Amino acid sequence: MEEFLSVLKDVKFVVDFAIVLVEHPGDGEKKKSKVMKIVNDFINENGIKLPIPSAILNWIIGEVIDMSVRWLNENFWKKDKE
């Protein structure tokens, strides 16, 4: 279980890195698709095998992307409200 959680932590790092790489104003769904591709390519190229179906993993990655972007929007990329 520890190894599984460690791998998920690494995947979360790749998600966050990919979000920063693709960031530009607008195109939310296109950016999300690009991040999904980067993360899935990382998983495949590194031979990462997780004990969950790929559909569930993709759903988890999508949720992680949404949560990370929400946090970045609120705390890092937020605009001054004046």
Side-chain angles (χ1 to χ4, degrees):
M1 183 62 148
E2 279 184 49
E3 184 177 344
F4 177 72
L5 293 175
S6 177
V7 169
L8 285 180
K9 197 162 98 175
D10 291 342
V11 170
K12 168 73 167 82
F13 175 80
V14 174
V15 167
D16 291 341
F17 184 71
I19 289 169
V20 172
L21 283 177
V22 305
E23 179 51 36
H24 65 274
D27 295 329
E29 285 303 313
K30 286 183 183 179
K31 291 187 293 190
K32 186 174 182 177
S33 293
K34 287 179 184 179
V35 171
M36 291 287 291
K37 180 170 178 4
I38 291 169
V39 173
N40 281 308
D41 287 351
F42 173 82
I43 289 170
N44 293 331
E45 289 173 10
N46 288 286
I48 296 171
K49 304 288 185 215
L50 296 170
I52 56 177
S54 61
I56 293 173
L57 178 61
N58 284 329
W59 177 81
I60 291 169
I61 292 169
E63 292 297 311
V64 170
I65 292 168
D66 292 342
M67 288 186 302
S68 293
V69 168
R70 190 176 313 115
W71 185 88
L72 287 166
N73 284 336
E74 292 172 358
N75 297 287
F76 188 69
W77 292 321
K78 66 181 178 180
K79 298 189 176 13
D80 291 332
K81 297 179 181 178
E82 292 187 45

